[in-house]
Amino acid sequence: MPVSVEGLPELSAFRAELRTCLSRRGDALFELADAMLCTSGPVRSPVELSLEPEFNRQHSSVYDALHHGSVAADRLRRALVARTAAAREGEPLMFAIDTTPLARPDARFADQRTMVMVRGKGPDVFLPGWNFSVLAGIGWGASSWVDPIEARRLRPTEHHTEVALAQVRALLTDLRATGRWSPGDPLPLVVFDAGNQGTDLAAELDGLPVQVLVRLRSNRIFHAEPAVREPGERGRPRRHGAQFSLADPTTHQDPDTEQAFDSERYGRVRVRSWRGMHQALSRQGWWSDFPLDKDLPIVRGTLVQVIVERLPHGKGRHADLWLWHAGPVLTDPALLAKAYFRRFDQEHFHRFAKAHLGLGAAHLGSAEAVDRWIALVIASYAQLRLARHLVDDLRRPWHPRPAPGAILSPYRVRLGFRRLRAKLPALTQPPKLIRPGRGRTQGSKNKPKATRPAYRTKPPTSTKHKA
């Protein structure tokens, strides 16, 4: 099957822009990304990529580029935002933010490690490593492709809420700058998992053109609006109305809206919503520094209950899904439920990036070198997405034939990327011949490195409240 050439200019333009984002040791970093895309198997370590024909330098250039290279993260993020998939008519652009851990318990000399939670077959464990907050664009369709935009490492002095807020603000700026969003368009929708506090996010993003959708744990308690104050009633007006406990159906009032639709994966789906719901905040965690002479804010939103008939493939025991939405506009609750279902596509990206592109394969001692490696992984996946309609289907003999009109998976696209790369313009210069250095001074000895214990993350607070 001949390769389509209609999308080659877009892929070539992104590769040229990616090359400009790699300044110091740029040629080596760019060839490292190409080797990551063209190798036939999973990436097990950066240095093994030096054996691929796409990497024209010595193996020592791999770690030299990762430790001493330079990646313009802001420019790369804007280039990726400019190539996110367009929204459907009348619907918002959708994005998801979730954290992924890279555990490094044996890296005693690695810097800026924190304690990260690692999930496995047994109970969750906390190990030293790095946490990355991954921002990706999500959309509709039968495939699990996403538009990765940024993976920002949580530093020891940062909380994941602070990092997520910074990512959302930068995203809104880039959407305007690239023309992906303009005033008058539906507000972008950012989806979060249950590890985030929706009230904290919505309060900090108040006034910005963005919507927030957060999954809730079943032990959350909300409140309706207080009853109208009777004439002549004494005392301070009530701030919270009737209690609404997600785990206690007896506290649920009649919903404001109730809808139903059919899903191929979930069967019959019922969506119920309650508007104007809020939580009773306390001066702990994010609100611990809020001024004592002021009342804590009331952050209102829409509470959404999603009841499905079954889970995909009949796995597991399903429970009701609870969501909380906040934003300047009211959004169709059924659309919110469908948007959250698409958030699971980001999990497929995490799994593919770790299993095939080597997201956690770079066992480096420098946290900044790991940042550069993660940036190359995201840029490589973005190239696969741009090439999904361009590559030949070079499936193995044991792979099933795709259905007519189906989009190839990231794994299948990667199998044919080497052949496609030969049709793209070369963007790197040949390596320069250099003389070896003088080596170690005679009589000098190695200085032992100091071990670096993992930091404990600080409790969530907001510096905005101190102003």
Side-chain angles (χ1 to χ4, degrees):
M1 180 181 67
V3 175
S4 172
V5 296
E6 296 180 359
L8 282 177
E10 184 180 5
L11 176 60
S12 299
F14 174 75
R15 286 169 59 85
E17 196 166 354
L18 171 62
R19 178 60 189 86
T20 62
C21 297
L22 311 175
S23 53
R24 193 168 57 245
R25 309 293 197 278
D27 286 342
L29 290 172
F30 191 86
E31 291 182 359
L32 193 61
D34 273 358
M36 185 187 301
L37 287 168
C38 297
T39 185
S40 58
V43 177
R44 304 191 183 280
S45 69
V47 71
E48 289 187 358
L49 295 178
S50 64
L51 302 177
E52 300 297 327
E54 289 75 20
F55 194 83
N56 298 318
R57 287 156 174 77
Q58 297 181 355
H59 66 274
S60 59
S61 300
V62 173
Y63 291 111
D64 178 66
L66 291 175
H67 283 93
H68 305 291
S70 177
V71 179
D74 293 342
R75 293 177 58 185
L76 178 58
R77 183 188 65 241
R78 183 160 294 186
L80 293 169
V81 169
R83 289 163 177 84
T84 54
R88 296 196 301 193
E89 183 67 26
E91 294 183 357
L93 291 166
M94 299 187 299
F95 303 90
I97 295 181
D98 198 5
T99 58
T100 185
L102 297 183
R104 290 296 311 280
D106 57 335
R108 296 185 301 154
F109 306 103
D111 61 339
Q112 300 187 34
R113 291 182 304 161
T114 60
M115 300 302 293
V116 301
M117 185 175 67
V118 180
R119 300 183 183 276
K121 295 183 179 180
D124 299 338
V125 296
F126 284 86
L127 298 173
W130 296 290
N131 253 331
F132 284 85
S133 179
V134 181
L135 167 65
I138 55 178
W140 308 110
S143 69
S144 60
W145 285 96
V146 299
D147 299 314
I149 295 174
E150 181 187 39
R152 191 173 297 196
R153 176 170 50 85
L154 275 65
R155 290 170 170 77
T157 58
E158 295 175 330
H159 189 265
H160 67 88
T161 301
E162 298 172 335
V163 176
L165 289 170
Q167 288 181 297
V168 173
R169 295 187 180 105
L171 171 66
L172 297 178
T173 301
D174 292 339
L175 288 174
R176 283 177 176 267
T178 57
R180 305 300 294 172
W181 181 85
S182 302
D185 296 341
L187 301 183
L189 176 67
V190 185
V191 184
F192 296 87
D193 202 7
N196 298 270
Q197 294 291 339
T199 300
D200 302 344
L201 294 167
E204 297 293 341
L205 296 173
D206 185 36
L208 295 178
V210 66
Q211 307 177 69
V212 174
L213 181 66
V214 184
R215 182 170 72 90
L216 301 172
R217 292 193 174 98
S218 59
N219 60 352
R220 294 289 186 253
I221 296 177
F222 282 78
H223 294 269
E225 292 294 324
V228 179
R229 189 177 176 86
E230 297 292 338
E233 184 178 351
R234 296 184 178 182
R236 183 180 180 181
R238 296 183 59 186
R239 306 185 73 233
H240 311 297
Q243 189 179 92
F244 190 108
S245 174
L246 304 188
D248 186 2
T250 61
T251 64
H252 299 178
Q253 300 96 23
D254 293 334
D256 295 321
T257 65
E258 188 166 359
Q259 309 174 52
F261 61 89
D262 292 320
S263 170
E264 182 179 351
R265 295 170 60 84
Y266 298 94
R268 190 67 174 173
V269 180
R270 290 192 299 140
V271 182
R272 311 168 72 196
S273 68
W274 294 262
R275 299 192 184 100
M277 306 299 291
H278 64 273
Q279 289 182 290
L281 304 179
S282 61
R283 299 182 187 274
Q284 297 177 358
W286 189 261
W287 304 98
S288 60
D289 60 346
F290 198 83
L292 297 176
D293 58 341
K294 297 181 180 180
D295 289 332
L296 290 168
I298 300 293
V299 185
R300 298 174 177 85
T302 300
L303 195 60
V304 179
Q305 181 187 25
V306 184
I307 307 170
V308 300
E309 183 180 0
R310 64 176 184 271
L311 293 179
H313 311 296
K315 294 182 178 179
R317 178 185 175 186
H318 67 273
D320 294 349
L321 175 67
W322 289 95
L323 306 172
W324 188 77
H325 170 266
V329 297
L330 292 176
T331 303
D332 180 17
L335 176 64
L336 297 177
K338 296 175 182 177
Y340 189 83
F341 289 156
R342 300 304 306 186
R343 191 206 72 83
F344 294 108
D345 294 341
Q346 190 180 18
E347 305 291 343
H348 297 295
F349 162 69
H350 291 174
R351 188 179 299 109
F352 176 81
K354 289 183 177 181
H356 297 282
L357 298 182
L359 184 71
H363 292 177
L364 305 169
S366 168
E368 294 183 354
V370 176
D371 293 343
R372 299 183 188 102
W373 175 258
I374 303 299
L376 294 182
V377 171
I378 288 182
S380 299
Y381 184 92
Q383 293 185 63
L384 291 178
R385 191 190 67 80
L386 294 174
R388 66 191 186 279
H389 299 297
L390 307 176
V391 299
D392 294 324
D393 183 16
L394 302 181
R395 62 183 181 276
R396 302 293 190 252
W398 52 87
H399 289 161
R401 185 183 298 273
I407 301 176
L408 296 179
S409 65
Y411 176 81
R412 295 280 186 91
V413 175
R414 187 165 175 249
L415 291 178
F417 193 86
R418 173 169 281 165
R419 181 180 296 184
L420 176 64
R421 180 184 176 274
K423 304 176 183 295
L424 300 171
L427 299 174
T428 59
Q429 300 295 326
K432 297 179 180 179
L433 298 178
I434 59 174
R435 295 181 179 179
R438 297 176 58 183
R440 181 188 301 175
T441 305
Q442 186 175 4
S444 63
K445 297 182 179 180
N446 286 336
K447 295 182 179 179
K449 290 184 178 180
T451 58
R452 305 191 180 196
Y455 292 88
R456 300 286 178 172
T457 56
K458 66 175 186 178
T461 57
S462 173
T463 57
K464 179 180 178 180
H465 303 153
K466 298 179 181 179

